[in-house]
Amino acid sequence: MTRPVTRESRERKLPRDMPIDGGGSASPGTALPDLALKGRGAVSNRPGRYEPGNRPLENDGWGHDPGEDDDLPPLRTTVTIDATRSSIAWNESPDLGFDRSLNPYRGCEHGCIYCFARPTHAYLGLSPGLDFETKLLAKPEAPRLLAEELSRPSYKPAPIGLGTNTDPYQPLEREMRITRGVLEVLAAFNHPVTIVTKSALVTRDIDILAEMARKSLAHVSISVTTLDKHLARKMEPRAPTLPRRLEAMRRLAEAGIPVGVMAAPMIPALNDMELEAILSAAAKAGASGAGFVLLRLPLEIKDLFAEWLEAHVPGKARHVQSLIAGARRGSHYVDEFGERMRGHGPYAELLAKRFRLAIKRYGLERRGWDLRTDLFQVPPKKGDQLCLL
């Protein structure tokens, strides 16, 4: 579990004496303010819910006040091998269209401030803030473990969700290729898969996905949050640009792979006015289905998102928070099944109505894709006796 690999990031360099969640210089003994960091989504690295207390950053006076010409260390991303012993995660949520999923990575370098997976880093004793996007865990054994689980006599096939917690095609996948390994296993077993990603890297695996799609075994959804490149760089700083995502949709559709768009999350007074434009752009790129999710702020995300609003859109912060509360029964989040994805009240109802009208207008009414399970078969291993019939 302890093979850390460091990769230099490309954002603004920080003072030598400052942790990654600080900013600016200060006199000894004074608290350091939380500042937005270029190339990172979270503003702070506040402790997770299982960590005692809140630890403000302080300047202890041992550092120096760096000048403009100082060669300062960049903020780094650290990757650790996750010693997982199983690959498939099971759920019983009626809000999801699948009961099993697989995530090759924990944490996500895309850095989306709104990511509902951030609180899972607290289980690791890490912060759902900057730790979530800088301290990643990879599961290189996932393909092997998946093959073992699919080979069990008791296993019953059904579509498996890939990337339902963190993006399976985040930048780290270019090097580690765990997601591709998982797809190779699924293809060998003729096992159905659904993929959700923000990354154009998914097109790298068109060779596998196209063959699976020909057998009705694969479907891909591309997540699009905003058409505004400036807002995107603040909300999801390391995710691919909109043109690259739309181009990925085109290439997938041209290869015969069913593709949909996820307009998610819709954030009141921030990107909700773009809903129709997002769906229109996706339809033109070849999408044949769509979905949307209202912003969810469970656990630590509530405070992280509030910090982000004050840092990036302070003039809208109170208005956004007010609308969120109005769609969540006066709170930041309601975790009831059937409501947590869509919200409650006039605002949520209007957003849902706009979505229904838009998908009808743009031909995105396909609700789902019927993926086959009857083709599932455990491939013979080397040395196995061949079937005579």
Side-chain angles (χ1 to χ4, degrees), residues 5-28:
V5 181
T6 59
R7 296 189 292 115
E8 287 195 3
S9 301
R10 293 187 292 273
E11 65 279 335
R12 172 172 59 85
K13 296 180 179 181
L14 302 176
R16 290 192 180 94
D17 60 338
M18 191 174 298
I20 60 175
D21 52 345
S25 59
S27 58

Side-chain angles (χ1 to χ4, degrees), residues 56-71:
L57 298 174
E58 292 188 357
N59 184 347
D60 59 9
W62 283 90
H64 72 293
D65 190 10
E68 292 183 358
D69 296 329
D70 276 359
D71 184 17

Side-chain angles (χ1 to χ4, degrees), residues 191-360:
H191 192 290
V193 63
T194 63
I195 299 173
V196 179
T197 181
K198 283 184 169 67
S199 178
L201 183 58
V202 66
T203 59
R204 179 202 63 187
D205 296 335
I206 281 180
D207 58 329
I208 300 176
L209 293 170
E211 179 61 22
M212 294 183 73
R214 189 180 65 79
K215 302 176 184 179
S216 298
L217 294 174
H219 167 256
V220 178
S221 286
I222 304 292
S223 176
V224 178
T225 312
T226 177
L227 305 181
D228 183 339
K229 65 180 181 181
H230 300 294
L231 179 59
R233 277 294 153 258
K234 295 175 182 177
M235 283 203 302
E236 40 192 38
R238 289 171 178 260
T241 62
L242 174 69
R244 293 183 62 195
R245 294 186 220 183
L246 294 178
E247 178 60 24
M249 288 185 194
R250 290 190 186 94
R251 292 186 58 188
L252 291 168
E254 290 172 356
I257 302 165
V259 60
V261 59
M262 280 298 297
M266 288 290 100
I267 306 173
L270 204 59
N271 72 336
D272 59 345
M273 68 290 295
E274 299 184 69
L275 177 60
E276 290 82 0
I278 290 172
L279 297 177
S280 174
K284 292 176 182 177
S288 54
F292 87 98
V293 176
L294 182 62
L295 176 69
R296 300 163 55 191
L297 297 175
L299 304 170
E300 291 92 349
I301 307 179
K302 173 175 67 71
D303 293 329
L304 290 169
F305 186 71
E307 291 174 342
W308 182 90
L309 286 174
E310 292 295 340
H312 292 285
V313 285
K316 289 186 176 182
R318 292 183 61 185
H319 184 44
V320 172
Q321 294 279 35
S322 176
L323 289 173
I324 291 173
R328 297 294 186 185
R329 299 182 184 272
S331 181
H332 288 88
Y333 182 58
V334 175
D335 61 0
E336 295 179 7
F337 290 135
E339 184 175 325
R340 58 180 183 159
M341 302 291 192
R342 295 291 185 264
H344 169 83
Y347 172 84
E349 293 171 4
L350 177 60
L351 191 64
K353 183 174 182 179
R354 287 173 53 199
F355 175 78
R356 291 192 298 269
L357 291 173
I359 61 173
K360 183 176 182 180

Side-chain angles (χ1 to χ4, degrees), residues 119-171:
T120 61
H121 245 44
Y123 293 118
L124 306 173
L126 299 172
S127 170
L130 286 167
D131 280 352
F132 178 78
E133 50 196 279
T134 60
K135 296 183 179 180
L136 312 181
L137 285 84
K139 306 176 184 178
E141 292 297 312
R144 179 185 63 80
L145 293 170
L146 176 62
E148 292 177 358
E149 292 172 69
L150 298 185
S151 298
R152 292 171 183 167
S154 60
Y155 183 81
K156 298 293 186 288
I160 187 168
L162 190 56
T164 56
N165 203 41
T166 57
D167 201 310
Y169 287 102
Q170 60 179 286

